[in-house]
Amino acid sequence: MSVIWQKVWFDLWHNKVRTLLSVLSIAAGVFAIGTIFGMTDKMLTTMDSAHQSVTPSAINMFLTSFISRDDALALRSIEGVADIEPYNQITIQYKVQPTDDWKQGSLVMRDDYTRQHSDLVQLKQGSWPQGNALDIERLASEFLGIGVGDHILIRYDNTEHNYPLGGLIRHPFVPPPTFGGPPYFFANAEQMERFNFPSGQFTSLLIRVTPYSDAYSKEVASTIKDRLAKMGIGVGGTLYQDPNKHWGRMYVEGMTLVMQLLAVISLFMSVVLVFNTLTALITQQTNQIGIIKAIGGRATTIVKVYLAGVLAYGLLALIIALPLGMLLSFGMTQWFLNLFNIDYNTFQVSTQATVLQVVAALGVPILAGLIPVLSAAGITVRQAIASYGLGGDFGSNWLDRAVERIGAKVLPSHYATALGNTFRRKGRLILTQLVLISAGTMFLLVTTLSTSITHTLDEVFQRHNFDVTVTFREQQRLNNLNEVTSAIKGIDAIDLWPTYSVTMLRDGKRAKDAGLGASLIGVPNDSDFYREVIIAGRWLLPEDGHAIVLNRDTADKNNIQVGDSVTLDVPNAGKDDWRVVGLYQVIYDSHFSSDAIYAPAKAVYQATNKIDRGNILYVRTNLHTESEVNTITTQLKDQFEARGMKVRYTQTEIEIKQRAASQFSIFTSMLLALAIIVAVVGGIGLMGALSISVVERTKEIGVLRAVGARSRTIRSMFMLEGVLQGTISWTLSIGVSLLIARDVAGVLGHAVFSTELSYQYDWTGVLAWLIIVVVVSTLASIMPAHSATTVSVRESLSYA
């Protein structure tokens, strides 16, 4: 073994604590890189490939009345339509056990399960729906704890049936029940006839477009709407999707971008620790460097010695982090993909993440070590032999003297010494503080983002002055609804809003449909049940005539400003000009609904010649517990169905809030987990700094022991130093986070949620981080403090 490698081996093996801390600090950053980049790489590519494998439609159109199979298939003649497949989907109620409360679900019917054309549902167990047996979607099966051979109670139109379950089906486009999505069941045409759906009649269309583009897809949808309008069939909503990209990308891409950024920051912090360790090591071995040069060693020899040590740290860190990163990346990818109902059971390794980990473990630390190593290589023999090391001139400036005065006045002598030692190695203190401050700032940014999300949702729901929403299949008369609701105990007030599918024209041309379609919604005068978040202009006023409030995305795509006029074409009612008085921003959409265009209800009545009719009923109750609201919802649905008022679906405000909280909690939980990793990296860095300090102050410890200092006193000195560094970083983290949190929350809000968050700084997180940083600092100080107490007087006084 060469002299160089002998020294490298000696430094690694005879300084095991320093080696362990350096390896762990690099491994933490490399692990974060491998886990996050591996997860995002495999997750997005797998989502897209799974999406493309089911022949996805470009347009999903929901109709307000039946269309026959022949009429639906005749729409294939429209230019740009590659294929059309009709299907049915209704909202039902279900019970797993007879004693359960009725809950809401969806029942889907495909025309022919063995000859599907678009959005293919896949049989995973049992058989397709047949005879008296329904099938259940597999996510719903897991959520409800039932499967093939079990029974389910289904209620629709006030009739109940007990159905056996004959198969498990994977539906590629269902919201997870764990996040509030309704359970899905599947029937065939014969079974749907029991629910008054005539054979060969359908209420929804799956449409594939060629050649696909977002703009062309919307143009084709508008042409289909026009054709349907001439047939007397209205469109209740239109859902667009890219056949090449999974529909869940919109929820994942922004989140993964932020997580990747935090992983890179974690790596940067671990590299700072390597720089810190290497600087301290070189400072400690300055006399050795001088001896090597005195006997003829060159600068290149010094560089090789210390960079070889860094390379060894990196290799050991890679051995630890690479397999752990692969395993956790696979586990997290599998968990996320299961949420989107995608099978991911074969262990896969991301080549991209592996390469990044190798570069992060071997290349980045070497780059970080170049500065102190090159500085050491440039030291002359005279400078090296005469050097007192970093911090040898403590007390020579005003800060040092101020620290000494404060310590002498307010602290016992040994604690005053600990205070002085904290500021003795200012370079190391700054680097250690940089890591701890970064960890604290990241933690506070994550908790502030979470608080801002919660605050934003609270503001949204404060605008929801209702408890239940009932959506009907057809327009209902207000008087009839009043008769039903007035007889149900607990209902305080109702509000009926009319909704019509429309085509928006700009300068005589169709506007680009935004979001999920376009619906004209009539808002009753002075209604306090609900209003959107206005970002430009104003909300509707009682004296308004043909005034509308548009979604900002719709306005941006069509270059529409407040004060402009647009033409709305309402099927079977004609065209009218409307003036834009305001723009709103969607913060959270509670369900797949059309892109809403709000107008005064009286103007909508005039445009459609249908007075006091609507299909969205908002209900306000004076009973607000979950069980009470659910009871009222069930009573409403039963009474409406008994009178022939077909209900499309119902949802409670409590359900909407629970669904929103579940969806956003995934993102904040992942960020918090990364922040904890960064906190661990900070703890490792502090432990390393204190361990190095113990080595450097070996002779000082011996002197203290020689004059009678107890082990408890020495231990408390080092633990105080660690906790002091932690509390300093906590104070500075608050300042840094306050300066940047608002801007970061704004950027992350747009990146992840495409909206402006209502900023709220998390002062509870400040207290939580204080507790965390004190605990981490204390734990990080224990090992170095214990090491200090094991140094004997003889060993310390003989230390050179």
Side-chain angles (χ1 to χ4, degrees), residues 765-783:
V766 171
L767 178 60
W769 181 246
L770 174 61
I771 296 172
I772 292 172
V773 80
V774 169
V775 170
V776 170
S777 300
T778 302
L779 293 176
S781 306
I782 289 175
M783 188 168 69

Side-chain angles (χ1 to χ4, degrees), residues 250 456-457 459-461 463-464 514-515 530-539 548-557 562 580-590 593-598 664 746 748-758:
M250 62 182 292
T456 302
L457 291 176
E459 286 190 344
V460 170
F461 291 127
R463 299 169 180 269
H464 292 195
Y530 174 70
R531 66 171 53 190
E532 297 282 6
V533 179
I534 299 298
I535 59 168
R538 60 172 175 80
W539 186 244
I548 58 174
V549 176
L550 285 180
N551 186 326
R552 181 180 67 177
D553 291 337
T554 304
D556 291 344
K557 289 182 178 181
V562 173
V580 179
V581 298
L583 303 178
Y584 70 88
Q585 174 67 58
V586 175
I587 304 296
Y588 171 73
D589 194 10
S590 59
S593 62
S594 298
D595 184 30
I597 302 173
Y598 295 97
F664 288 114
L748 294 183
H750 284 286
V752 180
F753 309 113
S754 300
T755 189
E756 186 75 30
L757 296 178
S758 296

Side-chain angles (χ1 to χ4, degrees), residues 254-255 258-259 262 441-457 664 667-672 737 740-753 755-763 765:
M255 179 183 69
V258 175
M259 292 172 64
L262 293 183
T441 301
M442 284 181 60
F443 181 88
L444 294 177
L445 289 179
V446 168
T447 58
T448 295
L449 178 61
S450 178
T451 302
S452 298
I453 291 171
T454 302
H455 183 57
T456 302
L457 291 176
F664 288 114
F667 175 75
T668 53
S669 297
M670 291 299 301
L671 289 183
L672 192 58
S737 62
I740 66 175
R742 183 181 296 274
D743 291 335
V744 171
V747 171
L748 294 183
H750 284 286
V752 180
F753 309 113
T755 189
E756 186 75 30
L757 296 178
S758 296
Y759 171 75
Q760 187 174 64
Y761 190 77
D762 184 25
W763 290 103

